[in-house]
């Protein structure tokens, strides 16, 4: 599975997007008219221009010096034949989104800081960190993103199992969850869910090592655990890396092809929850649920149909080599958002897509944000409302968990809970979103106007005042 670092395409029904403009086989007489690789460039339509403005407003929301009046610059921008931005953003930069990436907190090779730095060097403006079954790397990613001017979408790739109702065999399914800058509401419930999956990963990895030992490959568990790192639940990729280092296989591809593929001689099932349960919990905690790499599934049609009934929001359709038409059609059939990302792990080599290499049309980005921002705005209101009702340490932690350094800046002291609400709203919501719930936010401000915030000694404690 792709969640372990490798994707196996189990069908040949997909096609890569090609330029809809047919190539002229005759050699052009005028060299100036020769079409460049990647198709033609043209000015944005009105729909694309409005989408561009909306996307940019959200991307640069927490950067006060950004000028939101981008009508003229947007009109001057161009897109290719597929609606992908060619010159967008400030200074002529494109606004690049990366929706699928991994760090050392799961099976990636880079720390969250190094991952964000690499994304910055690749021109990425929005990065979703989607480690397997953990959000532990998000705070570090957000802090580094603040330094590099990259917006971080807190995410997670959840390992689940699809159990068909018919004669087909069950198969692992990965569901991506995307949350607001504030993170999930009911975080403790989500963390318990993810923690149970991680515990199952330990048992699964140990069973794989045991099976390899029975196959006369004396791989040691300590070797696998060392590669995974302290506190990281091992996956198949960690086992494969240990096999390469021990000299039992030549490379990662060989480890999967010979031993670790689904149903392989050293493969072991985990204790993953049903995919439908993950989708439902993602919604309950204020996130969007997107099916990851459907091309790796044995029966993607059945999976998509079932998960759509459970509330699935979208499906990965775009890859670095283009749009997969079969899955785009499935998304259209079921009314699902279309997304895509590099699934970057940092292995290196020619077989891995680079951060920011998946080109997403501006209308696709806007469609995602229109749905996501409505869900995220509701989740943010719930989190802030909980603090207004009970300004406890725990409820304050739920606000600051993923962005304490950004919220509590040394040069921007917050004297009371009302200031905290105002500051968070300016970071997380647009003016329009704030105005849509004016009465609710004003009620929160009134409740917290007499609640002081003590930031001394690095400990944040709400203190009731009379």
């Amino acid at each position: 599975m792709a969640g372990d670092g490798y994707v196996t395409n189990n069908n040949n029904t997909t096609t890569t997007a090609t330029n809809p403009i047919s190539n002229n086989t005759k050699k052009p007489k005028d060299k100036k008219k020769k079409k460049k690789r990647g198709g033609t460039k043209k000015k944005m339509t009105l729909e694309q221009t409005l989408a561009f403005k909306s996307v940019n407003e959200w991307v640069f929301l927490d950067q006060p010096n950004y000028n939101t009046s981008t009508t003229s610059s947007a009109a001057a921008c161009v897109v290719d034949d597929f609606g992908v931005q060619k010159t967008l953003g400030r200074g002529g930069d494109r606004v690049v989104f990366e929706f699928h990436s991994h760090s050392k907190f799961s099976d990636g090779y880079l720390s969250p800081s190094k991952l964000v730095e690499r994304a910055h060097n690749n021109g990425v403006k929005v990065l979703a960190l989607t480690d397997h079954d953990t959000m532990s790397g998000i705070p570090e990613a957000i802090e580094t993103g603040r330094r590099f001017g990259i917006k971080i979408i807190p995410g997670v790739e959840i390992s689940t199992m699809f159990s068909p109702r018919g004669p087909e065999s069950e198969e692992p399914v990965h569901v991506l969850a995307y949350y607001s800058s504030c993170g999930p509401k009911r975080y403790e419930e989500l963390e318990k869910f993810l923690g149970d999956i991680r515990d199952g990963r330990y048992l699964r990895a140990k069973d794989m090592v045991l099976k390899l030992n029975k196959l006369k490959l004396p791989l040691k568990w300590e070797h696998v655990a060392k590669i995974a790192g302290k506190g990281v639940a091992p996956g198949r990729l960690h086992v494969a890396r240990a096999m390469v280092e021990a000299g039992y296989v030549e490379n990662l591809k060989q480890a999967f092809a010979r031993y670790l593929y689904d149903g392989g001689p050293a493969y072991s099932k985990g204790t993953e929850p049903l995919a439908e349960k993950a989708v439902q919990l993602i919604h309950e905690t204020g996130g969007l649920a997107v099916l990851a790499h459907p091309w790796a599934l044995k029966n993607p049609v059945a999976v998509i149909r079932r998960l759509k009934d459970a509330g699935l929001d979208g499906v990965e359709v775009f890859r670095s080599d283009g749009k997969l038409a079969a899955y785009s059609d499935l998304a259209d059939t079921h009314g699902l958002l279309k997304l895509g990302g590099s699934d970057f792990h940092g292995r290196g080599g020619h077989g891995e897509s680079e951060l920011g290499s998946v080109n997403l049309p501006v209308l696709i980005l806007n469609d995602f944000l229109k749905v996501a921002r409505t869900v995220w705005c509701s989740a943010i209101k719930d989190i802030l409302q909980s603090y207004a009702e009970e300004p406890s340490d725990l409820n304050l932690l739920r606000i600051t968990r993923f962005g304490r350094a950004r919220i509590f800046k040394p040069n921007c002291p917050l004297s009371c809970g009302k200031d905290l609400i105002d500051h968070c709203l300016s970071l997380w919501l647009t003016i329009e979103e704030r105005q849509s719930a004016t009465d609710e936010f004003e009620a929160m401000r009134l409740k917290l106007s007499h609640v002081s915030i003590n930031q001394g000694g690095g400990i944040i404690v709400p203190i009731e005042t009379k």
Side-chain angles (χ1 to χ4, degrees):
M1 283 296 296
D4 295 292
Y6 273 86
V7 175
T8 302
N9 193 339
N10 293 313
N11 63 72
N12 296 314
T13 61
T14 61
T15 58
T16 302
T18 56
N19 193 324
I21 300 178
S22 60
N23 293 324
N24 190 343
T25 57
K26 295 181 180 180
K27 186 176 181 181
K29 295 180 181 180
D30 187 353
K31 292 184 178 180
K32 293 182 180 180
K33 294 182 179 180
K34 185 176 181 180
K35 296 186 188 304
K36 295 182 179 180
R37 184 180 179 183
T40 59
K41 294 181 180 180
K42 49 194 175 185
K43 286 187 177 181
M44 286 184 175
T45 64
L46 176 60
E47 183 183 16
Q48 289 169 333
T49 299
L50 294 175
F52 163 79
K53 288 181 60 181
S54 180
V55 170
N56 259 25
E57 179 186 26
W58 179 80
V59 171
F60 301 109
L61 176 65
D62 54 355
Q63 299 184 27
N65 294 327
Y66 176 65
N67 181 10
T68 57
S69 301
T70 55
T71 305
S72 58
S73 61
C77 292
V78 295
V79 293
D80 64 14
D81 295 312
F82 309 109
V84 175
Q85 316 110 307
K86 306 304 292 184
T87 308
L88 295 182
R90 295 180 298 175
D93 293 334
R94 293 173 55 223
V95 178
V96 179
F97 279 59
E98 173 57 75
F99 280 108
H100 196 160
S101 66
H102 299 275
S103 77
K104 292 179 70 173
F105 277 88
S106 61
D107 59 349
Y109 284 65
L110 303 179
S111 68
S113 294
K114 292 296 183 183
L115 184 77
V116 172
E117 183 176 358
R118 187 179 185 120
H120 169 72
N121 292 336
N122 288 356
V124 173
K125 293 294 188 294
V126 180
L127 174 71
L129 176 57
T130 53
D131 276 321
H132 297 289
D133 309 313
T134 182
M135 300 186 77
S136 299
I138 300 296
E140 181 182 337
I142 288 179
E143 175 58 23
T144 308
R146 184 169 67 91
R147 299 203 310 269
F148 284 102
I150 291 183
K151 197 178 193 75
I152 303 298
I153 297 178
V156 60
E157 185 173 2
I158 303 178
S159 306
T160 73
M161 192 63 65
F162 176 74
S163 183
R165 296 171 182 140
E168 303 93 348
S169 60
E170 64 180 14
E171 62 175 321
V173 169
H174 287 194
V175 182
L176 293 158
Y178 299 106
Y179 292 97
S180 75
S181 298
C182 190
K185 62 180 182 180
R186 294 162 54 181
Y187 176 85
E188 295 78 14
E189 183 177 347
L190 176 65
E191 177 55 28
K192 173 64 167 59
F193 185 79
L194 297 176
D196 289 343
I197 298 175
R198 293 195 298 270
D199 290 344
R201 289 171 71 89
Y202 279 100
L203 297 175
R204 178 195 186 204
K206 288 183 177 180
D207 190 45
M208 284 190 281
V209 171
L210 181 60
K211 288 183 176 181
L212 288 169
N213 292 165
K214 291 180 179 178
L215 293 170
K216 309 301 181 183
L217 300 178
L219 189 69
K220 295 185 179 300
W221 167 251
E222 292 76 13
H223 192 172
V224 176
K226 181 180 179 180
I227 289 175
K230 185 178 180 181
V232 177
R236 273 188 290 184
L237 184 58
H238 299 115
V239 175
R241 288 172 60 185
M243 293 174 69
V244 173
E245 290 186 7
Y248 300 135
V249 291
E250 293 181 3
N251 50 48
L252 297 175
K253 185 176 181 180
Q254 191 177 91
F256 276 83
R258 290 185 179 180
Y259 302 101
L260 302 176
Y261 60 89
D262 291 357
Y267 174 76
S268 178
K269 293 182 180 179
T271 56
E272 293 87 356
L274 290 177
E276 297 94 319
K277 173 61 178 174
V279 170
Q280 292 164 3
L281 184 60
I282 291 169
H283 282 174
E284 291 168 2
T285 52
L288 263 68
V290 174
L291 178 65
H293 33 71
W295 46 86
L297 299 174
K298 298 174 185 176
N299 194 356
V301 175
V303 172
I304 290 174
R305 184 186 300 117
R306 178 91 65 82
L307 295 189
K308 169 61 179 179
D309 291 340
L312 186 70
D313 296 293
V315 59
E316 285 194 315
V317 165
F318 296 90
R319 301 195 308 191
S320 58
D321 55 358
K323 180 175 71 174
L324 301 184
Y327 301 103
S328 179
D329 292 343
L330 274 174
D332 287 336
T333 298
H334 295 282
L336 296 169
L337 295 170
K338 303 174 187 180
L339 284 186
S342 66
D343 197 7
F344 181 82
H345 286 73
R347 293 188 305 269
H350 299 294
E352 182 172 39
S353 298
E354 185 55 79
L355 287 166
S357 62
V358 178
N359 292 318
L360 297 171
V362 65
L363 294 180
I364 291 293
L365 296 175
N366 192 48
D367 286 344
F368 170 78
L369 287 176
K370 280 194 295 187
V371 176
R373 286 167 64 172
T374 299
V375 174
W376 293 344
C377 183
S378 177
I380 289 170
K381 283 194 294 185
D382 288 348
I383 292 172
L384 294 178
Q385 182 64 46
S386 295
Y387 178 66
E389 295 291 341
E390 183 183 349
S392 63
D393 292 346
L394 178 59
N395 282 332
L396 186 59
L397 176 61
R398 288 168 177 155
I399 296 174
T400 63
R401 187 185 308 278
F402 290 151
R404 174 172 170 169
R406 172 165 287 189
I407 294 172
F408 294 103
K409 294 181 179 180
N411 61 345
C412 185
L414 305 176
S415 60
C416 65
K418 176 181 175 295
D419 293 341
L420 174 65
I421 295 294
D422 288 337
H423 186 51
C424 288
L425 291 179
S426 68
L427 290 176
W428 296 336
L429 300 181
T430 64
I431 295 176
E432 182 181 353
E433 288 167 338
R434 281 175 266 167
Q435 290 176 342
S436 68
T438 300
D439 292 342
E440 295 173 76
F441 292 135
E442 185 57 34
M444 294 181 200
R445 293 186 183 96
L446 289 174
K447 289 180 180 179
L448 293 170
S449 60
H450 299 296
V451 176
S452 298
I453 298 178
N454 177 16
Q455 297 174 230
I459 301 174
I460 307 163
V461 182
I463 304 172
E464 287 285 357
T465 60
K466 296 181 180 179

